[in-house]
Amino acid sequence: MADEAHDLQTLAFYDREAEAYAGRRLPKASPRLIDFLAALPAGARVLDLGCGGGQDSEVMLAEGFEVTPLDGSAGLARIAQARLGRPVRVQLFEDLEDEASFDGVWANASLLHVPTAGLARVLARVRRALKPGGVFHASYKAGDGGGRDTLGRYFNFPSEAELRAAYGDAGPWAALAIRQGVGHSYEQEERTWLHVAVVRPA
Ligand code: SAM
């Protein structure tokens, strides 16, 4: 059972739009994904948390990593499974139960949909899923509090200070770095993004 409500409207959007969303053109591998993989040992176990259509999992598998793709949208998971030729776990972030299982967790533009009140608890679940010394990357659209976009999706829109507080509440980290960047959303709107990299203490 989830310990915090997820946003039903957001997951309904991804199920409804699964084909179009998974079919959008993406760069083969973002510079941030390349940096994340460079910090991992060869063949490391990676959780692609909120894998969407599976594009990043595809890159990681091609690089020889042992990838577990996971998404809460059954529609997107089906498409990712067909792309990857392997099972995709259909699960909510709020239900993650793994313990010390992954060398890395990659959450690209996914935890940004977790309702603000539940973010620290989800981050604690991610921390528990990491092996000691494991690395965790996540990206968020910056802002001054939760709200919906024109497509009806919920975003937590945190400030850097709010993110530091939520990660702090989730438990101790060996390192916490936040970098700002500019990116485009699915609606082609230009926004400031916050890219968070942390390490579970060894
Ligand atoms: N990481 C992919 C990428 O970069 O293309 C997908 C990003 S998409 C903006 C957000 C993803 O998070 C969607 O695939 C959606 O189904 C998933 N998601 C949203 N809320 C979720 C939840 N509570 N549990 C599991 N997955 C969720």
Side-chain angles (χ1 to χ4, degrees):
M1 260 303 267
D3 62 7
E4 193 68 39
H6 61 285
D7 189 64
L8 284 171
Q9 201 177 322
T10 301
L11 279 176
F13 165 85
Y14 285 110
D15 268 335
R16 203 172 52 241
E17 292 289 317
E19 289 287 346
Y21 189 81
R24 75 201 194 288
R25 201 130 50 87
L26 292 174
K28 207 55 188 147
S30 73
R32 283 173 302 278
L33 178 56
I34 291 168
D35 287 352
F36 167 74
L37 296 178
L40 293 171
R45 290 200 69 197
V46 179
L47 174 64
D48 187 359
L49 191 59
C51 66
Q55 289 96 335
D56 287 346
S57 283
E58 189 174 39
V59 170
M60 294 191 261
L61 286 165
E63 294 294 321
F65 292 94
E66 198 188 315
V67 183
T68 299
L70 176 159
D71 203 276
S73 156
L76 275 172
R78 229 179 351 261
I79 292 170
Q81 199 155 301
R83 181 193 295 271
L84 301 171
R86 61 175 57 213
V88 171
R89 215 202 270 185
V90 180
Q91 191 175 37
L92 295 172
F93 307 141
E94 292 82 356
D95 288 340
L96 193 66
E97 296 286 357
D98 304 72
E99 289 184 32
S101 302
F102 299 101
D103 302 290
V105 175
W106 175 249
N108 190 59
S110 55
L111 298 180
L112 77 191
H113 291 309
V114 175
T116 302
L119 183 60
R121 275 189 288 275
V122 168
L123 294 173
R125 286 177 181 270
V126 175
R127 187 179 174 281
R128 183 178 60 185
L130 284 166
K131 295 179 188 174
V135 298
F136 166 34
H137 282 226
S139 49
Y140 304 83
K141 289 181 183 177
D144 56 7
R148 293 192 186 276
D149 68 2
T150 56
L151 302 170
R153 297 179 297 175
Y154 171 87
F155 288 84
N156 43 36
F157 293 133
S159 65
E160 194 171 321
E162 281 165 346
L163 277 180
R164 286 189 186 279
Y167 277 74
D169 287 347
W173 302 98
L176 190 156
I178 302 182
R179 278 183 304 162
Q180 271 197 25
V182 175
H184 288 86
S185 67
Y186 186 53
E187 309 156 277
Q188 297 310 316
E189 182 198 10
E190 193 175 276
R191 289 207 63 117
T192 300
W193 286 74
L194 298 171
H195 302 278
V196 185
V198 288
V199 177
R200 181 175 178 171

